[in-house]
Amino acid sequence: MTHRDAYALLLVVALLWSGNFPLAKLGLAELGPLTMAATRALIAAPLLVLVSRLLEGPLPPLARRDLTAVIVLAVTGFVGNSALWYTGLRYTSPANAGILGAAAPVVVALVAAAWLRERLSTTSLAGIALTMAAVLLTIARGSLETLLALRVNRGDLIILASQLLWVTYTLYSRANRSTFSPLQMLAGAHVVAAGLLLPLALLERPWRSFAGASWVGFTVVLYSALLGTPGHIGFYQAVRTVGPGRAAVFMNLIPFLVLGLSWLMLGEPIRWYHLVGAGGVIAGVALSTRR
């Protein structure tokens, strides 16, 4: 893959992941959050297993460390994070969710530095402070009175909780000693996640929501499973070509793409605190993760 192809692929992935925010909001009007998370995993799991088998052959002998890694990544990334993300999005706007989600790399850098006992530079500390200020501005909807009165949207708090699980997923995916490739790990985690999410989704009585759902609800789930999930594979391939630093530039576009797509698809107004919050989070991420 050439650098030009990698950059084009990263732009496509950023658009696909950004589109998932307003589309998921549409889907949540017809389907429950656990139902959406479970259906996405049920559709994506067999496809990922098939692609993994075709591209990389049979799985290597399953060791205990491989099974542990698959279970941990499934529980943190595709059960806990997905279920909480859909639940939070049900009560907040896609714009807020996009901005809050973009702050996750700062938490990753902070936890990694603490784990490795690295001393944070002044630049990194400034980036962390800027990101925290942007997050507070976003959840307060630009109102200091709202923040001081603790009248924040519960959806924003749930989105933040989901990002903590995503931080765990990210750090563990880097630290585990599994012999599985990223594609094999992604496929295995989705298989485990599908098995765990299915009984949880039954609590929402999905047969009722599916019976009353329109083509919009089904399209949103198919989009997430068939385009959003495979986007991880494309992202990993592009990172191998251009490196994580340059790839991060495209991922930093996601909050602004979410704002634009939410306005275009849902008619959601773009407030001043959205623009300031998105800019502050991205600047904070750039500073805190700078080497």
Side-chain angles (χ1 to χ4, degrees), residues 28 32-39 79 83 86-87 197 200-204:
L28 287 167
L34 293 176
T35 300
M36 290 191 66
T39 307
V79 177
Y86 280 118
T87 303
L197 283 168
L200 293 176
L202 295 178
L203 298 175
E204 295 179 339

Side-chain angles (χ1 to χ4, degrees), residues 184-249:
Q184 292 169 336
M185 190 68 69
L186 191 64
H190 272 80
V191 171
V192 174
L196 294 175
L197 283 168
L198 182 58
L200 293 176
L202 295 178
L203 298 175
E204 295 179 339
R205 300 181 179 180
W207 53 89
R208 293 185 177 180
S209 55
F210 277 123
S214 68
W215 63 271
V216 174
F218 293 103
T219 301
V220 168
V221 173
L222 290 174
Y223 175 94
S224 178
L226 301 180
L227 296 178
T229 301
H232 290 276
I233 302 173
F235 177 74
Y236 292 140
Q237 293 297 326
V239 168
R240 289 180 178 180
T241 301
V242 301
R246 294 180 178 179
V249 174

Side-chain angles (χ1 to χ4, degrees), residues 23-45:
L23 285 174
K25 187 68 173 181
L26 288 174
L28 287 167
E30 301 181 358
L31 304 173
L34 293 176
T35 300
M36 290 191 66
T39 307
R40 171 185 174 180
L42 285 169
I43 296 173

Side-chain angles (χ1 to χ4, degrees), residues 161-203:
S162 75
Q163 293 309 304
L164 293 177
L165 286 174
W166 185 253
V167 167
T168 304
Y169 168 86
T170 302
L171 292 173
Y172 191 81
S173 65
R174 297 176 182 177
N176 75 83
R177 298 181 179 181
S178 172
T179 56
F180 284 6
S181 69
L183 178 56
Q184 292 169 336
M185 190 68 69
L186 191 64
H190 272 80
V191 171
V192 174
L196 294 175
L197 283 168
L198 182 58
L200 293 176
L202 295 178
L203 298 175

Side-chain angles (χ1 to χ4, degrees), residues 13-30:
V13 170
L15 285 170
L16 289 175
W17 286 350
S18 300
N20 195 43
F21 285 80
L23 285 174
K25 187 68 173 181
L26 288 174
L28 287 167
E30 301 181 358

Side-chain angles (χ1 to χ4, degrees), residues 34 123 134 173 211 269 276 284 289:
L34 293 176
T123 302
S173 65
V276 176
T289 58

Side-chain angles (χ1 to χ4, degrees), residues 241-284:
T241 301
V242 301
R246 294 180 178 179
V249 174
F250 287 83
M251 297 302 102
N252 288 342
L253 296 174
I254 289 181
F256 297 100
L257 291 173
V258 171
L259 289 176
L261 291 173
S262 298
W263 171 80
L264 183 64
M265 299 171 64
L266 304 177
E268 185 175 296
I270 300 176
R271 309 294 186 185
W272 68 268
Y273 59 81
H274 287 144
L275 297 175
V276 176
V281 165
I282 297 308

